[in-house]
Amino acid sequence: MAPLGYNTKDRKITVNEAEAERVRTIFRAYLKLGSLNLLMAELRKRRIVTKVRTLKTGMTVGGIPFTRGSLAQLLRNRFFIGEITFRGEVLKGEQPPILDKALFDAVQAKLDRQTNNRNTKRMQSEALLIGRIFDDRGNRMSPSHARKGNNKYRYYLSSALLHGTPDRAGSVRRIPATEIEALVAQTVRNHIKPTAPIDDRSLNNAHVARVEVQPDRLVIRLAKGPKAKASGNRTTADRILQVPWQKKSATRRREMLLPDGVPAQQVRPMRSETRATLVASIARGRSWLDELTRDPAASAETIAKRQGCSARKVNMTISLAFLAPDLVKAAIEGRLPHGIGTTRLTDLPAEWSRQHEMLGLPS
């Protein structure tokens, strides 16, 4: 099937000059803008769309705005300079070129630089699931954040929102990054049971291939291990973990644990950002406690050095692993009162009844 810029008739490929000029416009615009996102917006503004094809049934397909993926594929297509790629080898094709090779090469060089820069930023990003997390319609979810005062709140947003096509977004468009990252890491850690200490970023890089966000769960596809890759055994290669999860509605009514002697109307619910941070800290504390109990060489100091924090911070986080089960459940469900977060819940007494007493909550 001929790409944009060409027609096929009687098994012969000819140039469609109107479409060919569209291809040249796209290449020149990318070279000027240097960004696929900006190029996408520019093409929408100029109403430049994909190739329209007529099927044997008489129906037509195509003629829709370009997506980031389709643009990247188009800009890499050597067909436009009279070449074809076959089994990794570049050969001369029968089709006439519609692009100047100098323009094509300049675009390839800019694409390569962008790819290298993107890979570098990905390695440096605090978003642990960047490039691996998608909504349930296949859109990549990109890291984003908001600031309120000195606090930074991280999220993953469906790329459909960033591309100006919200109707293409999945059922969950925005999720709290810290909460999801902690849940994925803990789930994978419990499944893999690593024999040596490994931080969350390295764990994701080694074992997580893809995370899909569905309305009631996270679907985690694990990466193929070396043995699975060599044998091609799909039963061991395509391991899938499903974790129950639902995004908490900011407007949903919920019961709270009320402090003793305080009227209900005077108590505010905990903030969603506080809840996300607390749940992530509890998961991290349990993970570190598990590491200390399994590895005789592990200590708060070794964990602190790996995580880039103080040993005191490690010990305070581990103390969250000893919270009473009903407090952990209330934290996950967002039922704790406003003001009770990570700081208030660290370093509490081991006795569960004393924890409630220290927090002024009913047992």
Side-chain angles (χ1 to χ4, degrees):
M1 189 176 292
L4 186 69
Y6 294 92
N7 292 330
T8 53
K9 188 175 182 180
D10 300 328
R11 296 186 178 182
K12 291 185 178 180
I13 300 175
T14 58
V15 174
N16 181 322
E17 190 52 46
E19 292 184 0
E21 185 55 36
R22 203 187 312 174
V23 172
R24 299 183 195 109
T25 297
I26 293 172
F27 271 75
R28 288 192 291 261
Y30 173 74
L31 203 57
K32 177 182 178 181
L33 298 171
S35 163
L36 289 177
N37 288 338
L38 293 178
L39 176 60
M40 213 164 24
E42 177 68 14
L43 297 183
R44 281 195 172 92
K45 181 180 177 181
R46 298 170 65 170
R47 298 184 179 179
I48 295 177
V49 295
T50 59
K51 186 180 182 72
V52 178
R53 304 180 189 278
T54 303
L55 305 179
K56 292 181 179 179
T57 60
M59 294 179 58
T60 59
V61 295
I64 61 175
F66 282 96
T67 63
R68 182 184 175 92
S70 60
L71 277 176
Q73 187 176 25
L74 182 145
L75 292 171
R76 290 291 194 185
N77 197 342
R78 306 191 71 87
F79 200 91
F80 301 131
I81 55 173
E83 298 176 350
I84 58 172
T85 303
F86 181 72
R87 293 183 179 178
E89 186 178 358
V90 178
L91 305 173
K92 183 173 178 56
E94 296 181 359
Q95 76 280 10
I98 60 174
L99 273 183
D100 180 68
K101 192 172 185 303
L103 173 60
F104 183 84
D105 290 342
V107 166
Q108 304 316 298
K110 186 175 282 291
L111 285 170
D112 291 340
R113 287 195 298 272
Q114 271 201 328
T115 300
N116 293 334
N117 291 339
R118 186 164 58 249
N119 289 340
T120 300
K121 290 179 180 177
R122 178 174 295 179
M123 292 300 295
Q124 297 173 345
S125 172
E126 59 183 327
L128 302 186
L129 294 174
I130 185 172
R132 292 181 169 87
I133 187 164
F134 299 79
D135 67 21
D136 55 0
R137 293 188 67 179
N139 300 296
R140 192 184 301 275
M141 301 194 79
S142 303
S144 181
H145 70 272
R147 288 191 180 275
K148 188 171 183 180
N150 294 326
N151 297 321
K152 179 179 180 180
Y153 305 107
R154 297 191 298 112
Y155 305 93
Y156 288 102
L157 295 178
S158 173
S159 59
L161 301 181
L162 303 176
H163 296 163
T165 54
D167 55 309
R168 294 175 177 268
S171 51
V172 182
R173 302 179 175 190
R174 165 172 153 157
I175 55 175
T178 305
E179 176 186 347
I180 294 298
E181 289 166 355
L183 181 57
V184 169
Q186 187 63 37
T187 301
V188 174
R189 198 179 296 277
N190 291 342
H191 180 81
I192 298 296
K193 295 181 173 58
T195 55
I198 182 172
D199 60 86
D200 289 352
R201 182 183 297 276
S202 301
L203 184 78
N204 287 337
N205 291 342
H207 298 290
V208 178
R210 179 186 176 98
V211 177
E212 182 177 297
V213 181
Q214 298 184 2
D216 59 349
R217 73 192 67 192
L218 302 179
V219 180
I220 306 170
R221 182 180 294 274
L222 300 180
K224 295 181 181 180
K227 292 182 180 179
K229 288 181 180 179
S231 65
N233 189 338
R234 293 182 61 85
T235 60
T236 57
D238 295 337
R239 294 173 295 169
I240 296 177
L241 308 178
Q242 299 197 32
V243 192
W245 176 85
Q246 280 188 315
K247 183 179 179 181
K248 301 296 181 182
S249 171
T251 59
R252 185 169 64 91
R253 293 176 60 86
R254 58 177 180 263
E255 296 180 353
M256 287 193 299
L257 294 182
L258 299 179
D260 291 334
V262 179
Q265 60 269 25
Q266 295 182 13
V267 180
R268 291 182 293 159
M270 71 187 306
R271 298 172 60 182
S272 59
E273 295 86 354
T274 302
R275 170 187 164 275
T277 301
L278 175 57
V279 171
S281 297
I282 293 173
R284 196 173 299 115
R286 291 183 173 185
S287 171
W288 290 347
L289 177 63
D290 183 58
E291 180 180 333
L292 292 177
T293 56
R294 287 189 297 103
D295 184 5
S299 66
E301 287 72 20
T302 59
I303 295 174
K305 184 177 180 181
R306 185 182 72 229
Q307 298 293 329
C309 63
S310 66
R312 183 177 185 280
K313 173 67 177 296
V314 173
N315 287 324
M316 292 297 99
T317 304
I318 289 175
S319 72
L320 294 171
F322 299 97
L323 284 176
D326 62 322
L327 291 179
V328 175
K329 184 178 180 181
I332 293 173
E333 295 175 352
R335 294 189 292 109
L336 291 176
H338 182 85
I340 296 184
T342 304
T343 303
R344 287 281 304 277
L345 293 174
T346 53
D347 205 24
L348 289 175
E351 297 86 359
W352 293 346
S353 58
R354 287 274 292 137
Q355 292 178 9
H356 289 81
E357 183 181 336
M358 294 282 289
L359 295 170
L361 298 175
S363 299

